[in-house]
Amino acid sequence: MSISPDGVPVLGVVGAGQLARMMHQATIGLGIELRVLSTSPVDSAAVVLADSAVHVGSWDELDDLLAFAAGCDVVTFDHELVDPAHLIALEDAGHVLRPGAASELFAQDKRHQREQLAAAGFPVPRFRTVETADDLVAHGDETGWPVVAKAIRGGYDGRGVWMVDDEAAARALVAETSADGVQLLAEERVELAREVAVAVARRPGGEQVAWPVTETVQQDGICVELLVPAPVSEELAEEARQLAAAVVDHVGGVGVVAVELFVTTDGRLLVNELALRPHNSMHWTIEGARTSQFQNHVRAALDLPLGSTAMTAPAVATVNVLGPEDGTDPRTRLAGALAIEGVAVHLYGKSSRPGRKLGHVTAVADDHDTAVTRARQAAAALTGQDLS
């Protein structure tokens, strides 16, 4: 890494959503300059940065990526949407990417992820690449219906995931997705006890730290609540931490890597998804850990010593704030949420529409029940819900 002439590193973030916005907050106290490649000057991170730190362009265009990277010492990401070939081209041009192109592919391409992890002996759901409708039908016949179909590239927050009930639905889905140029991966439907996540921050030399295991509560494919520490046995928690650490080393991730895991009803752990960036499952770390995922991501990307991941309270809960059905703005209801003890509110500066992820609230407390109750009350206050 070549540091800028004045000795202060410049960290570039491809993408300017809420993750880049919270990375910016983490850099302020460190005196590190952060720049973003934003598709719009009104994106979530762009509106809180100086104009000189916002490069408006498209991550789909290699020329825009090259021009942006030229002004940065290290480039990182707040999403996985950059063309893998463009990432390779950036590295070939001498730019430092953290994570690198080879690591990022594990988050960008579900088939690559599944094949590579399975070949290395990591536990994953049974899967099959879908070339024709017969492949999806065969997978359902083999593993049992329903089966899960996933877009190999581009899916997130429930998009690009389908629950397929039978042969007729399988053939209809393949016809529809093939017409749209979407290639599918078929997976067995796993009987779940719960879903958990372990986030690991890793430096280029391999040093890593991990946060406590987090339970993630999903609704319609979107993470809606987090509970820390996850209500699992210490033995299972330790197994999850060791599995996540081994996966992160295997993929060579640098920065924060979130390893999402299934806990099956018979007590097994299976790798579900990887995100090689800060992740929604770890937003609780801003108030709930000694060092947030955002600051440790910045530190790791710049190869700086990592901070403690110890919790600041015995229990932490986070609830996502989704746009209310009436389209109102949660900022108009801040007072009600802030009046609740032990709650921190984070709104992302995004325009309100029903179901859109507009922010999150975190509550720290002495026990899970108190933390969850307070976080739910605060989120409800922001969205105008009645919890009675």
Side-chain angles (χ1 to χ4, degrees), residues 186-367:
E187 292 188 354
E188 67 174 316
R189 181 178 180 271
V190 178
E191 294 296 330
L192 294 179
R194 55 176 40 91
E195 296 183 55
V196 300
V198 180
V200 176
R202 184 176 184 273
R203 291 175 70 179
E207 175 198 349
Q208 60 171 253
V209 295
W211 286 270
V213 180
T214 300
E215 180 175 23
T216 64
V217 180
Q218 313 290 322
Q219 181 177 302
D220 298 326
I222 299 174
C223 179
V224 294
E225 291 186 357
L226 309 172
L227 185 62
V228 197
V232 299
S233 69
E234 182 50 43
E235 292 77 15
L236 186 67
E238 180 59 25
E239 182 184 350
R241 288 190 291 266
Q242 291 183 6
L243 175 57
V247 167
V248 172
D249 273 339
H250 181 74
V251 306
V254 174
V256 167
V257 183
V259 182
E260 298 180 81
L261 302 168
F262 291 143
V263 182
T264 67
T265 52
D266 58 358
R268 294 176 298 133
L269 288 172
L270 299 174
V271 178
N272 176 25
E273 301 282 359
L274 302 181
L276 278 88
R277 54 169 171 77
H279 191 254
N280 191 191
S281 64
M282 295 295 138
H283 286 353
W284 67 268
T285 61
I286 299 173
E287 287 79 30
R290 299 288 182 191
T291 312
S292 76
Q293 66 163 339
F294 299 101
Q295 183 158 136
N296 264 345
H297 183 77
V298 169
R299 293 190 191 193
L302 297 175
D303 202 13
L304 297 170
L306 301 174
S308 168
T309 56
M311 294 178 64
T312 60
V316 184
T318 292
V319 175
N320 280 327
V321 177
L322 305 181
E325 289 301 316
D326 63 6
T328 53
D329 190 332
R331 289 176 295 183
T332 64
R333 302 188 179 99
L334 267 175
L338 294 175
I340 298 169
E341 181 184 354
V343 166
V345 175
H346 297 265
L347 296 176
Y348 306 150
K350 296 158 71 172
S351 59
S352 181
R353 66 170 182 261
R356 189 183 195 190
K357 199 178 294 180
L358 303 179
H360 71 270
V361 295
T362 296
V364 296
D366 291 331
D367 59 84

